[in-house]
């Protein structure tokens, strides 16, 4: 069921909503996670602030996105 929600958000280009859903569903609300369409990789974490940017590669599958968040 969770995978279907994530797939639907991604299919509709709502990548930030997919990230927000994963954060809420799995209690990962401490970190700042944002979608960055210009990333060539799965994601990056700022070593100073801990902010996480998720790139398009992370949306190859719902399970991958969940793992990366």
């Amino acid at each position: 069921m969770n995978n279907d929600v994530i797939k639907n958000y991604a299919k509709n280009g709502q990548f930030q909503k997919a990230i927000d859903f994963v954060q809420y569903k799995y209690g990962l609300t401490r970190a700042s996670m944002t979608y960055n369409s210009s990333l060539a990789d799965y994601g990056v974490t700022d070593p100073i602030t801990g902010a996480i940017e998720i790139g398009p590669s992370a949306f190859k599958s719902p399970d991958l996105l969940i793992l990366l968040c």
Side-chain angles (χ1 to χ4, degrees):
M1 175 119 163
N2 294 337
N3 286 359
D4 291 337
V5 173
I6 296 167
K7 284 180 186 177
N8 191 46
Y9 279 135
K11 181 178 86 172
N12 292 315
Q14 297 174 306
F15 302 109
Q16 185 61 51
K17 285 190 176 192
I19 293 167
D20 295 343
F21 173 78
V22 170
Q23 280 191 279
Y24 174 76
K25 190 68 178 172
Y26 296 97
L28 306 171
T29 55
R30 287 189 191 179
S32 169
M33 294 185 199
T34 56
Y35 178 69
N36 183 340
S37 63
S38 66
L39 285 179
D41 208 347
Y42 296 102
V44 294
T45 302
D46 185 299
I48 296 171
T49 66
I52 300 167
E53 293 182 345
I54 306 288
S57 297
F59 290 87
K60 289 181 180 180
S61 77
D63 291 331
L64 181 58
L65 179 62
I66 292 167
L67 178 68
L68 292 170
C69 285

